[in-house]
PDB file of all heavy atoms in Angstrom:
ATOM      1  N   LEU A   1       8.626  -5.462  -5.981  1.00 85.00           N
ATOM      2  CA  LEU A   1       8.436  -6.668  -5.142  1.00 85.00           C
ATOM      3  C   LEU A   1       7.312  -6.473  -4.160  1.00 85.00           C
ATOM      4  O   LEU A   1       6.568  -7.415  -3.848  1.00 85.00           O
ATOM      5  CB  LEU A   1       9.739  -7.036  -4.426  1.00 85.00           C
ATOM      6  CG  LEU A   1      10.862  -7.596  -5.305  1.00 85.00           C
ATOM      7  CD1 LEU A   1      12.085  -7.895  -4.464  1.00 85.00           C
ATOM      8  CD2 LEU A   1      10.413  -8.820  -6.066  1.00 85.00           C
ATOM      9  N   GLY A   2       7.158  -5.240  -3.670  1.00 80.00           N
ATOM     10  CA  GLY A   2       6.051  -4.943  -2.768  1.00 80.00           C
ATOM     11  C   GLY A   2       4.702  -5.164  -3.447  1.00 80.00           C
ATOM     12  O   GLY A   2       3.790  -5.759  -2.848  1.00 80.00           O
ATOM     13  N   TYR A   3       4.582  -4.667  -4.688  1.00 80.00           N
ATOM     14  CA  TYR A   3       3.335  -4.876  -5.434  1.00 80.00           C
ATOM     15  C   TYR A   3       3.061  -6.375  -5.672  1.00 80.00           C
ATOM     16  O   TYR A   3       1.926  -6.836  -5.565  1.00 80.00           O
ATOM     17  CB  TYR A   3       3.391  -4.154  -6.771  1.00 80.00           C
ATOM     18  CG  TYR A   3       3.495  -2.646  -6.668  1.00 80.00           C
ATOM     19  CD1 TYR A   3       4.311  -1.927  -7.534  1.00 80.00           C
ATOM     20  CD2 TYR A   3       2.783  -1.946  -5.718  1.00 80.00           C
ATOM     21  CE1 TYR A   3       4.407  -0.552  -7.435  1.00 80.00           C
ATOM     22  CE2 TYR A   3       2.878  -0.552  -5.596  1.00 80.00           C
ATOM     23  CZ  TYR A   3       3.696   0.129  -6.470  1.00 80.00           C
ATOM     24  OH  TYR A   3       3.799   1.495  -6.380  1.00 80.00           O
ATOM     25  N   LEU A   4       4.121  -7.113  -5.981  1.00 83.00           N
ATOM     26  CA  LEU A   4       3.955  -8.536  -6.251  1.00 83.00           C
ATOM     27  C   LEU A   4       3.606  -9.323  -5.007  1.00 83.00           C
ATOM     28  O   LEU A   4       2.875 -10.321  -5.070  1.00 83.00           O
ATOM     29  CB  LEU A   4       5.250  -9.080  -6.891  1.00 83.00           C
ATOM     30  CG  LEU A   4       5.612  -8.534  -8.254  1.00 83.00           C
ATOM     31  CD1 LEU A   4       6.978  -9.094  -8.703  1.00 83.00           C
ATOM     32  CD2 LEU A   4       4.521  -8.859  -9.279  1.00 83.00           C
ATOM     33  N   MET A   5       4.116  -8.899  -3.847  1.00 79.00           N
ATOM     34  CA  MET A   5       3.895  -9.645  -2.616  1.00 79.00           C
ATOM     35  C   MET A   5       2.495  -9.427  -2.041  1.00 79.00           C
ATOM     36  O   MET A   5       1.967 -10.282  -1.337  1.00 79.00           O
ATOM     37  CB  MET A   5       4.941  -9.241  -1.571  1.00 79.00           C
ATOM     38  CG  MET A   5       6.345  -9.650  -1.907  1.00 79.00           C
ATOM     39  SD  MET A   5       6.558 -11.424  -2.026  1.00 79.00           S
ATOM     40  CE  MET A   5       6.471 -11.918  -0.313  1.00 79.00           C
ATOM     41  N   LEU A   6       1.886  -8.289  -2.365  1.00 77.00           N
ATOM     42  CA  LEU A   6       0.560  -7.993  -1.791  1.00 77.00           C
ATOM     43  C   LEU A   6      -0.467  -9.083  -2.096  1.00 77.00           C
ATOM     44  O   LEU A   6      -1.144  -9.599  -1.172  1.00 77.00           O
ATOM     45  CB  LEU A   6       0.077  -6.629  -2.265  1.00 77.00           C
ATOM     46  CG  LEU A   6       0.702  -5.420  -1.553  1.00 77.00           C
ATOM     47  CD1 LEU A   6       0.215  -4.129  -2.214  1.00 77.00           C
ATOM     48  CD2 LEU A   6       0.382  -5.408  -0.090  1.00 77.00           C
ATOM     49  N   PRO A   7      -0.662  -9.462  -3.369  1.00 80.00           N
ATOM     50  CA  PRO A   7      -1.642 -10.505  -3.643  1.00 80.00           C
ATOM     51  C   PRO A   7      -1.262 -11.860  -3.059  1.00 80.00           C
ATOM     52  O   PRO A   7      -2.130 -12.648  -2.677  1.00 80.00           O
ATOM     53  CB  PRO A   7      -1.707 -10.561  -5.166  1.00 80.00           C
ATOM     54  CG  PRO A   7      -0.434  -9.953  -5.650  1.00 80.00           C
ATOM     55  CD  PRO A   7      -0.070  -8.926  -4.619  1.00 80.00           C
ATOM     56  N   VAL A   8       0.044 -12.103  -2.960  1.00 78.00           N
ATOM     57  CA  VAL A   8       0.484 -13.394  -2.376  1.00 78.00           C
ATOM     58  C   VAL A   8       0.085 -13.473  -0.908  1.00 78.00           C
ATOM     59  O   VAL A   8      -0.497 -14.467  -0.444  1.00 78.00           O
ATOM     60  CB  VAL A   8       2.015 -13.531  -2.533  1.00 78.00           C
ATOM     61  CG1 VAL A   8       2.513 -14.778  -1.796  1.00 78.00           C
ATOM     62  CG2 VAL A   8       2.393 -13.634  -4.002  1.00 78.00           C
ATOM     63  N   PHE A   9       0.406 -12.401  -0.155  1.00 76.00           N
ATOM     64  CA  PHE A   9       0.050 -12.411   1.253  1.00 76.00           C
ATOM     65  C   PHE A   9      -1.480 -12.407   1.454  1.00 76.00           C
ATOM     66  O   PHE A   9      -1.990 -12.945   2.436  1.00 76.00           O
ATOM     67  CB  PHE A   9       0.679 -11.206   1.942  1.00 76.00           C
ATOM     68  CG  PHE A   9       2.169 -11.355   2.179  1.00 76.00           C
ATOM     69  CD1 PHE A   9       3.046 -10.359   1.776  1.00 76.00           C
ATOM     70  CD2 PHE A   9       2.679 -12.483   2.812  1.00 76.00           C
ATOM     71  CE1 PHE A   9       4.407 -10.486   1.991  1.00 76.00           C
ATOM     72  CE2 PHE A   9       4.044 -12.611   3.033  1.00 76.00           C
ATOM     73  CZ  PHE A   9       4.905 -11.606   2.606  1.00 76.00           C
ATOM     74  N   HIS A  10      -2.175 -11.742   0.515  1.00 75.00           N
ATOM     75  CA  HIS A  10      -3.631 -11.704   0.624  1.00 75.00           C
ATOM     76  C   HIS A  10      -4.213 -13.116   0.459  1.00 75.00           C
ATOM     77  O   HIS A  10      -5.120 -13.516   1.191  1.00 75.00           O
ATOM     78  CB  HIS A  10      -4.209 -10.767  -0.425  1.00 75.00           C
ATOM     79  CG  HIS A  10      -5.707 -10.721  -0.452  1.00 75.00           C
ATOM     80  ND1 HIS A  10      -6.435 -10.225   0.624  1.00 75.00           N
ATOM     81  CD2 HIS A  10      -6.618 -11.112  -1.404  1.00 75.00           C
ATOM     82  CE1 HIS A  10      -7.726 -10.315   0.332  1.00 75.00           C
ATOM     83  NE2 HIS A  10      -7.862 -10.830  -0.867  1.00 75.00           N
ATOM     84  N   LEU A  11      -3.717 -13.849  -0.530  1.00 80.00           N
ATOM     85  CA  LEU A  11      -4.184 -15.222  -0.742  1.00 80.00           C
ATOM     86  C   LEU A  11      -3.856 -16.133   0.425  1.00 80.00           C
ATOM     87  O   LEU A  11      -4.588 -17.096   0.721  1.00 80.00           O
ATOM     88  CB  LEU A  11      -3.576 -15.807  -2.033  1.00 80.00           C
ATOM     89  CG  LEU A  11      -4.056 -15.155  -3.349  1.00 80.00           C
ATOM     90  CD1 LEU A  11      -3.256 -15.705  -4.529  1.00 80.00           C
ATOM     91  CD2 LEU A  11      -5.555 -15.423  -3.556  1.00 80.00           C
ATOM     92  N   LEU A  12      -2.756 -15.859   1.125  1.00 76.00           N
ATOM     93  CA  LEU A  12      -2.373 -16.678   2.280  1.00 76.00           C
ATOM     94  C   LEU A  12      -3.089 -16.239   3.538  1.00 76.00           C
ATOM     95  O   LEU A  12      -2.896 -16.824   4.597  1.00 76.00           O
ATOM     96  CB  LEU A  12      -0.855 -16.578   2.483  1.00 76.00           C
ATOM     97  CG  LEU A  12       0.023 -17.220   1.395  1.00 76.00           C
ATOM     98  CD1 LEU A  12       1.475 -16.921   1.659  1.00 76.00           C
ATOM     99  CD2 LEU A  12      -0.216 -18.722   1.320  1.00 76.00           C
ATOM    100  N   GLY A  13      -3.926 -15.191   3.439  1.00 76.00           N
ATOM    101  CA  GLY A  13      -4.675 -14.719   4.582  1.00 76.00           C
ATOM    102  C   GLY A  13      -3.847 -13.952   5.585  1.00 76.00           C
ATOM    103  O   GLY A  13      -4.243 -13.818   6.750  1.00 76.00           O
ATOM    104  N   LEU A  14      -2.696 -13.433   5.164  1.00 73.00           N
ATOM    105  CA  LEU A  14      -1.812 -12.726   6.092  1.00 73.00           C
ATOM    106  C   LEU A  14      -1.890 -11.208   5.939  1.00 73.00           C
ATOM    107  O   LEU A  14      -1.240 -10.480   6.680  1.00 73.00           O
ATOM    108  CB  LEU A  14      -0.359 -13.160   5.845  1.00 73.00           C
ATOM    109  CG  LEU A  14      -0.054 -14.627   6.098  1.00 73.00           C
ATOM    110  CD1 LEU A  14       1.402 -14.957   5.674  1.00 73.00           C
ATOM    111  CD2 LEU A  14      -0.254 -14.979   7.573  1.00 73.00           C
ATOM    112  N   LEU A  15      -2.684 -10.757   5.001  1.00 71.00           N
ATOM    113  CA  LEU A  15      -2.715  -9.321   4.704  1.00 71.00           C
ATOM    114  C   LEU A  15      -3.896  -8.634   5.368  1.00 71.00           C
ATOM    115  O   LEU A  15      -5.060  -9.064   5.234  1.00 71.00           O
ATOM    116  CB  LEU A  15      -2.776  -9.114   3.186  1.00 71.00           C
ATOM    117  CG  LEU A  15      -2.807  -7.660   2.699  1.00 71.00           C
ATOM    118  CD1 LEU A  15      -1.482  -6.976   3.024  1.00 71.00           C
ATOM    119  CD2 LEU A  15      -3.075  -7.585   1.200  1.00 71.00           C
ATOM    120  N   ASN A  16      -3.600  -7.595   6.080  1.00 72.00           N
ATOM    121  CA  ASN A  16      -4.648  -6.729   6.643  1.00 72.00           C
ATOM    122  C   ASN A  16      -5.023  -5.735   5.547  1.00 72.00           C
ATOM    123  O   ASN A  16      -4.302  -4.767   5.286  1.00 72.00           O
ATOM    124  CB  ASN A  16      -4.151  -5.994   7.878  1.00 72.00           C
ATOM    125  CG  ASN A  16      -5.226  -5.167   8.555  1.00 72.00           C
ATOM    126  OD1 ASN A  16      -6.087  -4.578   7.897  1.00 72.00           O
ATOM    127  ND2 ASN A  16      -5.198  -5.122   9.876  1.00 72.00           N
ATOM    128  N   LEU A  17      -6.125  -5.999   4.858  1.00 74.00           N
ATOM    129  CA  LEU A  17      -6.480  -5.223   3.655  1.00 74.00           C
ATOM    130  C   LEU A  17      -6.692  -3.746   3.997  1.00 74.00           C
ATOM    131  O   LEU A  17      -6.260  -2.860   3.251  1.00 74.00           O
ATOM    132  CB  LEU A  17      -7.736  -5.816   3.016  1.00 74.00           C
ATOM    133  CG  LEU A  17      -8.077  -5.262   1.629  1.00 74.00           C
ATOM    134  CD1 LEU A  17      -6.933  -5.466   0.659  1.00 74.00           C
ATOM    135  CD2 LEU A  17      -9.346  -5.904   1.102  1.00 74.00           C
ATOM    136  N   GLU A  18      -7.335  -3.453   5.123  1.00 74.00           N
ATOM    137  CA  GLU A  18      -7.587  -2.066   5.483  1.00 74.00           C
ATOM    138  C   GLU A  18      -6.274  -1.321   5.702  1.00 74.00           C
ATOM    139  O   GLU A  18      -6.096  -0.173   5.271  1.00 74.00           O
ATOM    140  CB  GLU A  18      -8.466  -2.010   6.745  1.00 74.00           C
ATOM    141  CG  GLU A  18      -9.906  -2.471   6.515  1.00 74.00           C
ATOM    142  CD  GLU A  18     -10.734  -2.321   7.777  1.00 74.00           C
ATOM    143  OE1 GLU A  18     -10.177  -1.858   8.804  1.00 74.00           O
ATOM    144  OE2 GLU A  18     -11.925  -2.663   7.717  1.00 74.00           O
ATOM    145  N   PHE A  19      -5.334  -1.986   6.415  1.00 69.00           N
ATOM    146  CA  PHE A  19      -4.037  -1.361   6.668  1.00 69.00           C
ATOM    147  C   PHE A  19      -3.293  -1.112   5.346  1.00 69.00           C
ATOM    148  O   PHE A  19      -2.701  -0.067   5.125  1.00 69.00           O
ATOM    149  CB  PHE A  19      -3.177  -2.247   7.568  1.00 69.00           C
ATOM    150  CG  PHE A  19      -1.795  -1.756   7.765  1.00 69.00           C
ATOM    151  CD1 PHE A  19      -1.492  -0.765   8.695  1.00 69.00           C
ATOM    152  CD2 PHE A  19      -0.726  -2.265   6.988  1.00 69.00           C
ATOM    153  CE1 PHE A  19      -0.206  -0.313   8.864  1.00 69.00           C
ATOM    154  CE2 PHE A  19       0.550  -1.806   7.151  1.00 69.00           C
ATOM    155  CZ  PHE A  19       0.833  -0.826   8.088  1.00 69.00           C
ATOM    156  N   ALA A  20      -3.308  -2.121   4.424  1.00 73.00           N
ATOM    157  CA  ALA A  20      -2.606  -2.000   3.168  1.00 73.00           C
ATOM    158  C   ALA A  20      -3.174  -0.836   2.336  1.00 73.00           C
ATOM    159  O   ALA A  20      -2.406  -0.046   1.755  1.00 73.00           O
ATOM    160  CB  ALA A  20      -2.693  -3.313   2.398  1.00 73.00           C
ATOM    161  N   LEU A  21      -4.512  -0.749   2.270  1.00 76.00           N
ATOM    162  CA  LEU A  21      -5.101   0.328   1.500  1.00 76.00           C
ATOM    163  C   LEU A  21      -4.825   1.703   2.098  1.00 76.00           C
ATOM    164  O   LEU A  21      -4.546   2.666   1.369  1.00 76.00           O
ATOM    165  CB  LEU A  21      -6.627   0.091   1.411  1.00 76.00           C
ATOM    166  CG  LEU A  21      -7.083  -1.091   0.558  1.00 76.00           C
ATOM    167  CD1 LEU A  21      -8.580  -1.262   0.636  1.00 76.00           C
ATOM    168  CD2 LEU A  21      -6.635  -0.903  -0.903  1.00 76.00           C
ATOM    169  N   LEU A  22      -4.853   1.784   3.417  1.00 71.00           N
ATOM    170  CA  LEU A  22      -4.544   3.057   4.088  1.00 71.00           C
ATOM    171  C   LEU A  22      -3.103   3.457   3.847  1.00 71.00           C
ATOM    172  O   LEU A  22      -2.801   4.618   3.548  1.00 71.00           O
ATOM    173  CB  LEU A  22      -4.819   2.939   5.602  1.00 71.00           C
ATOM    174  CG  LEU A  22      -4.536   4.199   6.427  1.00 71.00           C
ATOM    175  CD1 LEU A  22      -5.408   5.358   5.976  1.00 71.00           C
ATOM    176  CD2 LEU A  22      -4.756   3.890   7.905  1.00 71.00           C
ATOM    177  N   TYR A  23      -2.201   2.483   3.961  1.00 71.00           N
ATOM    178  CA  TYR A  23      -0.793   2.753   3.732  1.00 71.00           C
ATOM    179  C   TYR A  23      -0.527   3.210   2.288  1.00 71.00           C
ATOM    180  O   TYR A  23       0.194   4.169   2.028  1.00 71.00           O
ATOM    181  CB  TYR A  23       0.052   1.513   4.029  1.00 71.00           C
ATOM    182  CG  TYR A  23       1.534   1.742   3.840  1.00 71.00           C
ATOM    183  CD1 TYR A  23       2.271   2.414   4.777  1.00 71.00           C
ATOM    184  CD2 TYR A  23       2.173   1.304   2.677  1.00 71.00           C
ATOM    185  CE1 TYR A  23       3.633   2.634   4.604  1.00 71.00           C
ATOM    186  CE2 TYR A  23       3.508   1.505   2.500  1.00 71.00           C
ATOM    187  CZ  TYR A  23       4.242   2.178   3.463  1.00 71.00           C
ATOM    188  OH  TYR A  23       5.586   2.388   3.263  1.00 71.00           O
ATOM    189  N   LEU A  24      -1.201   2.511   1.346  1.00 73.00           N
ATOM    190  CA  LEU A  24      -1.047   2.860  -0.073  1.00 73.00           C
ATOM    191  C   LEU A  24      -1.594   4.284  -0.324  1.00 73.00           C
ATOM    192  O   LEU A  24      -0.981   5.081  -1.040  1.00 73.00           O
ATOM    193  CB  LEU A  24      -1.799   1.859  -0.947  1.00 73.00           C
ATOM    194  CG  LEU A  24      -1.733   2.078  -2.470  1.00 73.00           C
ATOM    195  CD1 LEU A  24      -0.285   1.981  -2.937  1.00 73.00           C
ATOM    196  CD2 LEU A  24      -2.597   1.077  -3.187  1.00 73.00           C
ATOM    197  N   LEU A  25      -2.702   4.624   0.308  1.00 75.00           N
ATOM    198  CA  LEU A  25      -3.276   5.941   0.151  1.00 75.00           C
ATOM    199  C   LEU A  25      -2.369   7.014   0.695  1.00 75.00           C
ATOM    200  O   LEU A  25      -2.174   8.057   0.082  1.00 75.00           O
ATOM    201  CB  LEU A  25      -4.636   5.985   0.871  1.00 75.00           C
ATOM    202  CG  LEU A  25      -5.412   7.318   0.767  1.00 75.00           C
ATOM    203  CD1 LEU A  25      -5.781   7.597  -0.700  1.00 75.00           C
ATOM    204  CD2 LEU A  25      -6.676   7.268   1.627  1.00 75.00           C
ATOM    205  N   LEU A  26      -1.771   6.756   1.846  1.00 72.00           N
ATOM    206  CA  LEU A  26      -0.849   7.721   2.430  1.00 72.00           C
ATOM    207  C   LEU A  26       0.396   7.890   1.575  1.00 72.00           C
ATOM    208  O   LEU A  26       0.893   8.998   1.384  1.00 72.00           O
ATOM    209  CB  LEU A  26      -0.465   7.290   3.843  1.00 72.00           C
ATOM    210  CG  LEU A  26      -1.546   7.399   4.927  1.00 72.00           C
ATOM    211  CD1 LEU A  26      -1.083   6.752   6.229  1.00 72.00           C
ATOM    212  CD2 LEU A  26      -1.911   8.862   5.151  1.00 72.00           C
ATOM    213  N   ALA A  27       0.934   6.762   1.039  1.00 70.00           N
ATOM    214  CA  ALA A  27       2.136   6.834   0.214  1.00 70.00           C
ATOM    215  C   ALA A  27       1.878   7.626  -1.059  1.00 70.00           C
ATOM    216  O   ALA A  27       2.674   8.497  -1.439  1.00 70.00           O
ATOM    217  CB  ALA A  27       2.624   5.417  -0.115  1.00 70.00           C
ATOM    218  N   VAL A  28       0.739   7.348  -1.712  1.00 72.00           N
ATOM    219  CA  VAL A  28       0.398   8.058  -2.924  1.00 72.00           C
ATOM    220  C   VAL A  28       0.123   9.538  -2.613  1.00 72.00           C
ATOM    221  O   VAL A  28       0.555  10.445  -3.337  1.00 72.00           O
ATOM    222  CB  VAL A  28      -0.822   7.412  -3.622  1.00 72.00           C
ATOM    223  CG1 VAL A  28      -1.317   8.302  -4.772  1.00 72.00           C
ATOM    224  CG2 VAL A  28      -0.475   6.029  -4.133  1.00 72.00           C
ATOM    225  N   GLY A  29      -0.573   9.773  -1.513  1.00 74.00           N
ATOM    226  CA  GLY A  29      -0.877  11.149  -1.121  1.00 74.00           C
ATOM    227  C   GLY A  29       0.360  11.946  -0.837  1.00 74.00           C
ATOM    228  O   GLY A  29       0.454  13.134  -1.203  1.00 74.00           O
ATOM    229  N   TYR A  30       1.361  11.353  -0.195  1.00 72.00           N
ATOM    230  CA  TYR A  30       2.606  12.059   0.102  1.00 72.00           C
ATOM    231  C   TYR A  30       3.340  12.382  -1.194  1.00 72.00           C
ATOM    232  O   TYR A  30       3.903  13.478  -1.348  1.00 72.00           O
ATOM    233  CB  TYR A  30       3.474  11.219   1.017  1.00 72.00           C
ATOM    234  CG  TYR A  30       4.655  11.949   1.572  1.00 72.00           C
ATOM    235  CD1 TYR A  30       4.494  12.918   2.558  1.00 72.00           C
ATOM    236  CD2 TYR A  30       5.940  11.718   1.096  1.00 72.00           C
ATOM    237  CE1 TYR A  30       5.569  13.613   3.077  1.00 72.00           C
ATOM    238  CE2 TYR A  30       7.027  12.379   1.613  1.00 72.00           C
ATOM    239  CZ  TYR A  30       6.832  13.342   2.596  1.00 72.00           C
ATOM    240  OH  TYR A  30       7.922  14.019   3.098  1.00 72.00           O
ATOM    241  N   GLY A  31       3.351  11.425  -2.137  1.00 73.00           N
ATOM    242  CA  GLY A  31       3.977  11.707  -3.417  1.00 73.00           C
ATOM    243  C   GLY A  31       3.273  12.810  -4.174  1.00 73.00           C
ATOM    244  O   GLY A  31       3.925  13.671  -4.793  1.00 73.00           O
ATOM    245  N   VAL A  32       1.960  12.843  -4.091  1.00 75.00           N
ATOM    246  CA  VAL A  32       1.180  13.943  -4.748  1.00 75.00           C
ATOM    247  C   VAL A  32       1.552  15.273  -4.093  1.00 75.00           C
ATOM    248  O   VAL A  32       1.719  16.281  -4.781  1.00 75.00           O
ATOM    249  CB  VAL A  32      -0.328  13.665  -4.626  1.00 75.00           C
ATOM    250  CG1 VAL A  32      -1.134  14.895  -5.019  1.00 75.00           C
ATOM    251  CG2 VAL A  32      -0.710  12.462  -5.482  1.00 75.00           C
ATOM    252  N   LEU A  33       1.666  15.281  -2.774  1.00 75.00           N
ATOM    253  CA  LEU A  33       2.014  16.517  -2.071  1.00 75.00           C
ATOM    254  C   LEU A  33       3.373  17.073  -2.549  1.00 75.00           C
ATOM    255  O   LEU A  33       3.509  18.261  -2.796  1.00 75.00           O
ATOM    256  CB  LEU A  33       2.049  16.275  -0.556  1.00 75.00           C
ATOM    257  CG  LEU A  33       2.480  17.460   0.317  1.00 75.00           C
ATOM    258  CD1 LEU A  33       1.491  18.621   0.168  1.00 75.00           C
ATOM    259  CD2 LEU A  33       2.616  17.027   1.771  1.00 75.00           C
ATOM    260  N   LEU A  34       4.358  16.184  -2.690  1.00 75.00           N
ATOM    261  CA  LEU A  34       5.677  16.633  -3.161  1.00 75.00           C
ATOM    262  C   LEU A  34       5.591  17.151  -4.595  1.00 75.00           C
ATOM    263  O   LEU A  34       6.213  18.170  -4.941  1.00 75.00           O
ATOM    264  CB  LEU A  34       6.667  15.473  -3.059  1.00 75.00           C
ATOM    265  CG  LEU A  34       7.029  15.009  -1.648  1.00 75.00           C
ATOM    266  CD1 LEU A  34       7.942  13.792  -1.724  1.00 75.00           C
ATOM    267  CD2 LEU A  34       7.704  16.128  -0.866  1.00 75.00           C
ATOM    268  N   SER A  35       4.857  16.468  -5.438  1.00 75.00           N
ATOM    269  CA  SER A  35       4.702  16.908  -6.815  1.00 75.00           C
ATOM    270  C   SER A  35       3.999  18.275  -6.880  1.00 75.00           C
ATOM    271  O   SER A  35       4.374  19.142  -7.650  1.00 75.00           O
ATOM    272  CB  SER A  35       3.906  15.876  -7.627  1.00 75.00           C
ATOM    273  OG  SER A  35       4.632  14.652  -7.733  1.00 75.00           O
ATOM    274  N   GLN A  36       2.966  18.442  -6.055  1.00 72.00           N
ATOM    275  CA  GLN A  36       2.261  19.714  -6.008  1.00 72.00           C
ATOM    276  C   GLN A  36       3.194  20.838  -5.559  1.00 72.00           C
ATOM    277  O   GLN A  36       3.171  21.945  -6.104  1.00 72.00           O
ATOM    278  CB  GLN A  36       1.079  19.625  -5.038  1.00 72.00           C
ATOM    279  CG  GLN A  36      -0.025  18.678  -5.447  1.00 72.00           C
ATOM    280  CD  GLN A  36      -1.111  19.356  -6.241  1.00 72.00           C
ATOM    281  OE1 GLN A  36      -1.067  20.560  -6.509  1.00 72.00           O
ATOM    282  NE2 GLN A  36      -2.099  18.599  -6.655  1.00 72.00           N
ATOM    283  N   LEU A  37       4.020  20.543  -4.604  1.00 74.00           N
ATOM    284  CA  LEU A  37       4.984  21.518  -4.116  1.00 74.00           C
ATOM    285  C   LEU A  37       5.967  21.925  -5.203  1.00 74.00           C
ATOM    286  O   LEU A  37       6.260  23.121  -5.423  1.00 74.00           O
ATOM    287  CB  LEU A  37       5.739  20.974  -2.905  1.00 74.00           C
ATOM    288  CG  LEU A  37       6.766  21.893  -2.247  1.00 74.00           C
ATOM    289  CD1 LEU A  37       6.115  23.172  -1.729  1.00 74.00           C
ATOM    290  CD2 LEU A  37       7.477  21.148  -1.096  1.00 74.00           C
TER     291      LEU A  37
END
């Protein structure tokens, strides 16, 4: 649902794109760290 809501909020002009990309990068990076461990 999070993935589906992102484009919806973006089209409505409610999405801070820089924040969303940074958050996504941190989430993916943390998952990579756990996998590496």
Side-chain angles (χ1 to χ4, degrees):
L1 289 180
Y3 296 140
L4 295 176
M5 293 297 288
L6 283 175
V8 174
F9 286 128
H10 178 64
L11 291 174
L12 293 174
L14 298 174
L15 181 66
N16 185 323
L17 190 58
E18 291 183 0
F19 174 83
L21 290 176
L22 180 61
Y23 181 78
L24 181 62
L25 182 63
L26 289 173
V28 171
Y30 190 74
V32 169
L33 177 63
L34 292 176
S35 296
Q36 294 268 1
L37 181 61

